[in-house]
C-alpha cells in the first residue's frame, strides 16, 4: 500500500490484520497523514508500547497456536498470508511439530494463554527451544516477553503492508 493510500483510505481492517488491538488502529488512523513510512512505523511502535495486558490478552485470543493448522481457518485471508510467511521456516517433521504442540499445551497450562513468538526466520527446532526456555520464566517476565513478541509481529506486518506498492 502506498503511503498516500495509507493516509487517505480506511485502514482499520488492514491494521487489525497486523494485531487485533482496536485502540492501536484508532490511534494510528487518527494521527494521519504521515510524512513517511518510517514515521508510520515509529508512531505505531510508540503506541504499541502503551498496550495494556488486557488488550494483549484479547489479541492473543485471536492468534492461532504456532504450527496449528486448524486455527488457520478462523483467520482472514490476509492474516493467513502473514502467518504462512512468518512460520515458513517452522515447517518440519511431524515429531517436532508434535513436540511443539505438547510444549504449547504446557505453556498454556502454566501461563493461561497461548505461546507467542515472532517466528520469522526461526526453524521449528529454534521455536521449540524458545518455548522450553520461556516455560521457565516468571509470569511477570513472560508477560513482558509476550508484549515484545506481539509488538514485533504487529510492526513486521505493518511494514509488509506499507511495502506493497
Amino acid at each position: 500500500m502506498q503511503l498516500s493510500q495509507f493516509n487517505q483510505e480506511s485502514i482499520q481492517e488492514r491494521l487489525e490484520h497486523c494485531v487485533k488491538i482496536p485502540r492501536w488502529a484508532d490511534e494510528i488512523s487518527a494521527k494521519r497523514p504521515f510524512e513517511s513510512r518510517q514515521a508510520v512505523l515509529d508512531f505505531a511502535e510508540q503506541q504499541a508500547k502503551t498496550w495494556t495486558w488486557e488488550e494483549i490478552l484479547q489479541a492473543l485470543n485471536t492468534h492461532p497456536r504456532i504450527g496449528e493448522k486448524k486455527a488457520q481457518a478462523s483467520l482472514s485471508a490476509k492474516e493467513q498470508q502473514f502467518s504462512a510467511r512468518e512460520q515458513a521456516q517452522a515447517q518440519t517433521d511431524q515429531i517436532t511439530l508434535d513436540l511443539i504442540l505438547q510444549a504449547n499445551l504446557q505453556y498454556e497450562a502454566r501461563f493461561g494463554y497461548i505461546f507467542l513468538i515472532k517466528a520469522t526466520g526461526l526453524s521449528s527446532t529454534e521455536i521449540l527451544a524458545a518455548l522450553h526456555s520461556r516455560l521457565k520464566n516468571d509470569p511477570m517476565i513472560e508477560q513482558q516477553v509476550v508484549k515484545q513478541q506481539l509488538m514485533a509481529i504487529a510492526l513486521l506486518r505493518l511494514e509488509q503492508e506499507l511495502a506493497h506498492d
Side-chain angles (χ1 to χ4, degrees), residues 84-96:
R85 265 185 273 171
E86 292 159 4
Q87 295 185 39
Q89 290 185 327
Q91 305 310 317
T92 189
D93 63 279
Q94 191 59 46
I95 293 171
T96 305

Side-chain angles (χ1 to χ4, degrees), residues 5-84:
Q5 290 175 291
F6 185 86
N7 282 330
Q8 295 172 2
E9 295 179 4
S10 174
I11 58 170
Q12 289 304 112
E13 186 175 336
R14 287 179 182 266
L15 292 171
E16 286 181 10
H17 293 315
C18 298
V19 65
K20 291 208 187 317
I21 297 182
R23 180 174 62 88
W24 184 73
D26 292 343
E27 290 167 343
I28 293 170
S29 185
K31 180 70 173 169
R32 296 177 303 163
F34 289 95
E35 294 181 13
S36 68
R37 289 181 178 160
Q38 190 59 52
V40 175
L41 295 171
D42 290 345
F43 184 76
E45 181 176 5
Q46 176 186 0
Q47 294 313 112
K49 290 177 181 177
T50 71
W51 291 343
T52 66
W53 183 245
E54 292 76 27
E55 289 172 318
I56 292 167
L57 278 178
Q58 288 178 350
L60 290 177
N61 288 336
T62 67
H63 253 274
R65 283 185 187 106
I66 192 149
E68 186 177 53
K69 301 300 181 202
K70 68 178 184 174
Q72 296 290 332
S74 67
L75 301 177
S76 70
K78 186 61 150 182
E79 290 167 320
Q80 287 178 22
Q81 290 172 357
F82 282 139
S83 185

